[in-house]
Amino acid sequence: MVQMSTSSRKALVFVVTFVSYGLYHASRKSLSGVKSSIKADWLSNTSGHEPLFANEADAKHFLGSLDAIFMAAYAAALFFWGWLGDRLNPKYVVAAGMIGSAITLTLFGTIPKWLNFYHAPYYVITYIAFGLVQACGWPSEIAIMANWFGKGNRGFVMGVWAACQPVGNIFGSIFTAMVLPLGYEYTFLLNSVLIAVGAIVVVTAIDSSPNEEQEAGVEANSNEPHHNFHGEPISLFKAILLPGVLAYCICNACLKLVNYAFFFWLPLYLTDAYHWEESQADQLSIWYDFGGIIGSVLGGYITDKMGKRSPLIVAMLICSIGSLYFYAHVGPYMFWNALVMTTVGVTVSGPYNLIVGSISIDLGSQPALAGNTQAMSTVSGLLDGTGSAGSAIGQLFIPIIQDDLGWKAVFYVFMLLNGFAILAILKRCIIDMKSLRKLRSGEESPLLNDGEGGEHED
């Protein structure tokens, strides 16, 4: 078999992991993109079944509950899969989650429609299962990327790679808009088929680390790097006590709630507030994700050049408060809605991607670990898990706030949460700003030419 060069193998790992996690996100987009259609189906008796709910408010609250239980299951499982990902081959964990996602997504969204089987407990159970297997992806994908890509330009590399989330959202929205005319059940089926195929590619196309072949007893090309893995996997308790981890966990709990609220509710908001068709709302919602891509890539590049990440993240979050205010008042004008929505994506999704991408690796490879390379998946799972727990709580309250106070009040709550996110890492930001001033004045030696991003010296 022809041996690939190191650079070719790295490129392949980047592309395959990027696409695979994009498929994870595209599959999550299935429900958020068809909420109006599935809500109408639940309230209808024209298909030979009794209405699942008595009124629209009950149906909307149930949709909010589904989002919450998904995030709760996802959050709980992230701690477990992050812990297990440092003990198993991460690519098999990723692939198992993809196959599980395909099965549970079909059971949730396609089978009830085909079999005319509508029961609230069934939806709850299958969507909990979907959340549990979806959590296989992120910690192990981060571990694979950390194995292959070193410290140099980490912010830019991970900024580009973390854009797999909004890219997956975009394609999920496009798939939904394309297939929706056939019936909402086919959007779930299409995403299930795609993510199952992706699992096969992950298993067959990439290695979890540059020395996986050596570990399997296969002779590898002598010019490939040999990475030595030191230390033992760490506990969740030890991980949260690492410098900087708790602050970013709190920050991410607030920020991920806002980011995922747009993920779950944006298409329904556009149809409810402006009475646009669901397919139009799905297509328009991708501008939020385009903003996320811009924020993620530029944020990673700029923080590499700065040598610190927290000052830019705080600046972006401050800007997000203004952009959220403008978006709450933009009105039913598609061009301006898309423009301001993109700005919201830059300032909300952008810093979120930086935290769960670049900073996850920074925190999981900091000097406090004394060279222990077996903690990456645990730290990234902890960081994303606490964010998901915060998001789960938020999804329960969004429909309640919207019903009682309206959509503008929802956006004001988002502004408040991003303010809390700023406070969580404000001390880190102040320390980093002082360090940058000392660097400019020559009082301190540069520490960040290695691309660590500065988050390790808390």
Side-chain angles (χ1 to χ4, degrees):
M1 187 172 74
V2 177
Q3 294 288 339
M4 297 175 65
S5 66
T6 303
S7 57
S8 297
R9 292 178 72 199
K10 289 176 72 172
L12 182 62
V13 167
F14 187 99
V15 171
V16 170
T17 54
F18 185 99
V19 172
S20 67
Y21 202 71
L23 290 172
Y24 267 100
H25 256 254
S27 67
R28 294 178 204 173
K29 200 69 175 174
S30 301
L31 178 59
S32 66
V34 300
K35 279 184 173 177
S36 290
S37 293
I38 200 168
K39 182 177 64 175
D41 189 31
W42 288 346
L43 295 170
S44 171
N45 59 6
T46 57
S47 301
H49 66 86
E50 291 295 321
L52 187 59
F53 297 101
N55 54 65
E56 185 173 346
D58 288 346
K60 189 183 293 185
H61 288 165
F62 185 66
L63 286 169
S65 298
L66 286 175
D67 292 336
I69 63 173
F70 169 85
M71 292 307 302
Y74 181 74
L78 273 170
F79 299 122
F80 171 73
W81 290 118
W83 174 85
L84 193 64
D86 283 328
R87 291 157 174 82
L88 299 178
N89 187 318
K91 77 174 182 181
Y92 294 121
V93 177
V94 171
M98 297 176 81
I99 295 295
S101 296
I103 294 170
T104 53
L105 194 64
T106 302
L107 289 173
F108 173 84
T110 306
I111 297 301
K113 182 69 172 177
W114 282 355
L115 299 184
N116 201 26
F117 180 76
Y118 297 83
H119 291 278
Y122 173 84
Y123 282 116
V124 170
I125 292 169
T126 52
Y127 219 52
I128 287 174
F130 181 57
L132 293 175
V133 294
Q134 278 275 301
C136 293
W138 188 256
S140 293
E141 301 265 21
I142 287 288
I144 294 170
M145 286 295 293
N147 289 342
W148 279 96
F149 294 88
K151 300 176 182 178
N153 298 317
R154 175 180 291 162
F156 177 70
V157 171
M158 290 305 300
V160 174
W161 185 83
C164 62
Q165 299 179 82
V167 168
N169 295 343
I170 290 170
F171 278 97
S173 298
I174 292 172
F175 296 155
T176 298
M178 289 171 54
V179 180
L180 190 56
L182 300 176
Y184 72 80
E185 66 272 24
Y186 291 100
T187 66
F188 293 96
L189 184 63
L190 175 62
N191 278 298
S192 296
V193 171
L194 291 174
I195 198 169
V197 172
I200 298 172
V201 175
V202 168
V203 171
T204 59
I206 64 171
D207 295 322
S208 294
S209 65
N211 62 339
E212 183 176 308
E213 290 183 346
Q214 291 96 313
E215 292 168 352
V218 179
E219 183 176 353
N221 194 324
S222 60
N223 64 357
E224 290 176 357
H226 294 258
H227 288 199
N228 295 316
F229 297 92
H230 303 287
E232 296 292 332
I234 65 174
S235 67
L236 289 172
F237 180 74
K238 183 176 180 180
I240 203 167
L241 294 179
L242 289 170
V245 171
L246 180 59
Y248 274 107
C249 283
I250 297 171
C251 175
N252 199 38
C254 298
L255 183 56
K256 187 164 186 173
L257 192 163
V258 178
N259 186 54
Y260 263 71
F262 276 88
F263 179 89
F264 286 131
W265 292 100
L266 184 55
L268 183 62
Y269 162 69
L270 295 172
T271 56
D272 274 4
Y274 305 125
H275 307 293
W276 293 332
E277 293 183 6
E278 192 170 35
S279 59
Q280 286 182 306
D282 286 333
Q283 293 175 40
L284 189 66
S285 69
I286 69 176
W287 289 103
Y288 176 81
D289 297 303
F290 275 123
I293 295 171
I294 295 168
S296 179
V297 174
L298 286 182
Y301 177 79
I302 293 170
T303 56
D304 276 346
K305 295 298 182 182
M306 289 176 61
K308 306 288 181 183
R309 304 205 199 283
S310 62
L312 183 65
I313 290 173
V314 168
M316 294 172 80
L317 290 176
I318 291 172
C319 292
S320 75
I321 295 174
S323 63
L324 285 165
Y325 178 83
F326 283 116
Y327 190 68
H329 297 272
V330 70
Y333 310 101
M334 284 196 175
F335 172 79
W336 292 110
N337 199 293
L339 183 63
V340 181
M341 188 191 301
T342 303
T343 305
V344 175
V346 171
T347 57
V348 174
S349 180
Y352 166 74
N353 291 336
L354 283 174
I355 289 172
V356 297
S358 303
I359 287 177
S360 283
I361 296 182
D362 291 344
L363 295 173
S365 57
Q366 56 181 294
L369 286 167
N372 183 354
T373 60
Q374 299 296 294
M376 188 62 62
S377 186
T378 301
V379 171
S380 60
L382 178 62
L383 188 61
D384 204 24
T386 51
S388 299
S391 182
I393 296 170
Q395 306 319 312
L396 287 173
F397 289 102
I398 287 172
I400 298 173
I401 295 170
Q402 190 274 321
D403 280 346
D404 292 343
L405 301 173
W407 281 108
K408 284 187 175 64
V410 173
F411 290 109
Y412 294 151
V413 171
F414 294 165
M415 294 162 62
L416 183 64
L417 286 167
N418 279 8
F420 289 144
I422 292 168
L423 291 176
I425 59 170
L426 188 59
K427 180 181 177 182
R428 174 71 266 165
C429 178
I430 293 171
I431 292 171
D432 286 345
M433 291 294 291
K434 290 179 179 178
S435 178
L436 287 172
R437 283 197 295 270
K438 289 180 180 179
L439 284 172
R440 284 196 296 268
S441 64
E443 298 176 22
E444 185 176 302
S445 300
L447 296 174
L448 300 169
N449 293 333
D450 60 1
E452 280 288 323
E455 307 306 331
H456 58 281
E457 74 250 356
D458 268 282

